[in-house]
Amino acid sequence: MSKIGIACDHAGYEMKEFLVGYLNAMGYEVLDFGTYSPESVDYPDYAHPLAEAIESGELTQGIALCGSGEGMAMTLNKHQGIRAGLCWQPEIASLIRRHNNANVVVLPARFVDNDEAVKILEAYFSAEFEGGRHERRIAKIPVGGGK
């Protein structure tokens, strides 16, 4: 069984709950980093633990949600070894995996519905990193700050 982490703020809470059920039905063991209600919270409080679980090797991939997706993506990408990509359509999800070897897919919960979120995750999970010229480009992304 594959393990995956998921984290959200209040704007992504309802979609996260839906996706946890979907992921469980697909055979994933889901580590839920919260939030656990629709009450207003700060997205970094949930992004950091997800990123740390990936950095430590506890997980290899994650899903993050917030209203626009931008706050989660910005926070996650401050961490070493995290390549989080914001996806609002399946083609982008496939590309962030194939070309950027993204290990976190970020969803803008206020701009996609549950059906589209499932299509985005399916595209992300079915894609594989292509390597080659993309490997060289990823190697140019600084890890842990600065050039």
Side-chain angles (χ1 to χ4, degrees):
M1 177 183 287
S2 296
K3 240 184 352 182
I4 191 157
I6 194 165
C8 71
D9 72 355
H10 54 281
Y13 171 73
E14 288 184 24
M15 183 175 285
K16 180 199 70 149
E17 291 298 298
F18 169 80
L19 291 175
V20 167
Y22 163 78
L23 293 163
N24 284 326
M26 296 301 294
Y28 287 91
E29 178 185 346
V30 180
L31 274 77
D32 186 346
F33 292 92
T35 193
Y36 306 106
S37 83
E39 298 298 316
S40 182
V41 295
D42 299 332
Y43 56 82
D45 295 340
Y46 304 92
H48 290 306
L50 172 61
E52 290 162 1
I54 294 170
E55 288 175 313
S56 75
E58 180 182 1
L59 298 168
T60 58
Q61 293 179 313
I63 301 165
L65 308 94
C66 68
S68 68
E70 293 289 358
M72 280 288 194
M74 289 176 191
T75 304
L76 290 160
N77 282 319
K78 294 291 184 184
H79 285 261
Q80 293 182 11
I82 299 297
R83 289 175 309 283
L86 176 59
C87 299
W88 58 93
Q89 48 184 235
E91 296 82 3
I92 295 169
S94 179
L95 283 171
I96 68 163
R97 186 76 181 114
R98 291 186 297 126
H99 291 188
N100 310 114
N101 202 17
N103 50 15
V104 182
V105 59
V106 183
L107 301 172
R110 290 187 176 137
F111 297 92
V112 298
D113 62 21
N114 289 347
D115 290 338
E116 193 68 13
V118 166
K119 290 176 188 171
I120 290 167
L121 292 183
E122 287 172 348
Y124 175 78
F125 291 136
S126 66
E128 292 185 24
F129 181 53
E130 293 176 359
R133 69 186 190 277
H134 305 295
E135 190 75 50
R136 180 183 73 243
R137 293 167 183 162
I138 289 171
K140 292 181 179 183
I141 300 172
V143 178
K147 185 175 177 182

